[in-house]
Amino acid sequence: AIQLTQSPPSLSASVGDRVTITCRASQDISSALAWYRQKPGKTPKLLIYGASSLEGGVPSRFSGSGSGTDFTLTISSLQPEDFATYYCQQFNSYPWTFGQGTKVEIK
Amino acid sequence: QMQLVESGGGVVQPGGSLRLSCAASGFTFSKYGMHWVRQAPGKGLEWVAFIRYDGSHKYYADSVEGRFTISRDNSKNTQYLQMSSLRAEDTAVYYCAKDRSYYDFLEALDCWGQGTLVTVSS
């Protein structure tokens, strides 16, 4: 199974900060990667699919990049509702694994 | 708008069985592959199972293979997860989720249910 490793596991940031989260795959997954945000006590929400395509209705402060094994999710200006846990998921091959998550906390 | 509503969670003893249901609305259910994803208390997301749009192919995580069965009834816009031989480590919130692309292309989960809690305990 393809393993996804997110870094860092957690980070502290302030409103307005630029935040970058990394997801590394154990093998080449082309651009078959999605990113989700999960607020505390809520269901996950799709942000990015195909590594860099913004899901409809998602604010433009979110962007994704990368291909092959290395991917990043960038939040250009952190907002209060962005304090949450972020997950990547690969769709290159079964089983469709998730990363372990990155928790973004208030500094 | 798209909506998924899970039901069927509860408390079950180790070794027991439970069937989860997920009712879909707001989209053409028969065109989309569907997934189950779970989240143990305080833990991350774990993909559990997938069923092709027409029910012809099913895939499972190793952790549930042989114990869980995914199915769907396109006439009722509903998918199911039959869980048997349940273990304490199956305790989690179970989410039903829709794949973003229809037919055979999988690319992301764009609609999630609210989740249903399954607790395996004696």
Side-chain angles (χ1 to χ4, degrees), chain A:
Chain A
I2 296 173
Q3 294 184 358
L4 298 179
T5 302
Q6 290 183 230
S7 61
S10 65
L11 65 91
S12 295
S14 302
V15 172
D17 283 355
R18 182 182 182 89
V19 168
T20 298
I21 298 168
T22 297
C23 179
R24 174 163 289 175
S26 59
Q27 63 189 73
D28 189 336
I29 61 169
S30 185
S31 297
L33 190 90
W35 288 96
Y36 306 90
R37 177 183 70 185
Q38 186 178 32
K39 298 179 185 179
K42 301 296 185 181
T43 63
K45 174 183 171 61
L46 176 64
L47 302 173
I48 301 286
Y49 64 94
S52 60
S53 297
L54 192 68
E55 175 69 348
V58 173
S60 59
R61 65 180 180 272
F62 292 96
S63 63
S65 64
S67 66
T69 60
D70 294 314
F71 302 86
T72 58
L73 173 70
T74 299
I75 309 171
S76 60
S77 178
L78 202 65
Q79 297 302 300
E81 60 267 32
D82 299 333
F83 292 97
T85 301
Y86 293 82
Y87 295 93
C88 56
Q89 183 186 20
Q90 65 84 18
F91 282 87
N92 182 75
S93 60
Y94 155 80
W96 297 286
T97 43
F98 287 92
Q100 81 280 14
T102 295
K103 187 173 184 179
V104 177
E105 299 175 303
I106 301 173
K107 182 183 286 185

Side-chain angles (χ1 to χ4, degrees), chain B residues 7-13 16-20 36 38-41 68 81 83 86-95 115-121:
Chain B
S7 60
V11 180
V12 60
Q13 293 187 339
S17 298
L18 210 57
R19 188 177 85 154
L20 307 182
W36 288 96
R38 69 184 180 182
Q39 187 169 35
F68 289 12
L81 186 68
M83 304 184 294
L86 283 162
R87 308 165 180 167
E89 54 265 36
D90 295 319
T91 294
V93 173
Y94 285 74
Y95 295 103
T116 187
L117 177 62
V118 172
T119 302
V120 184
S121 173

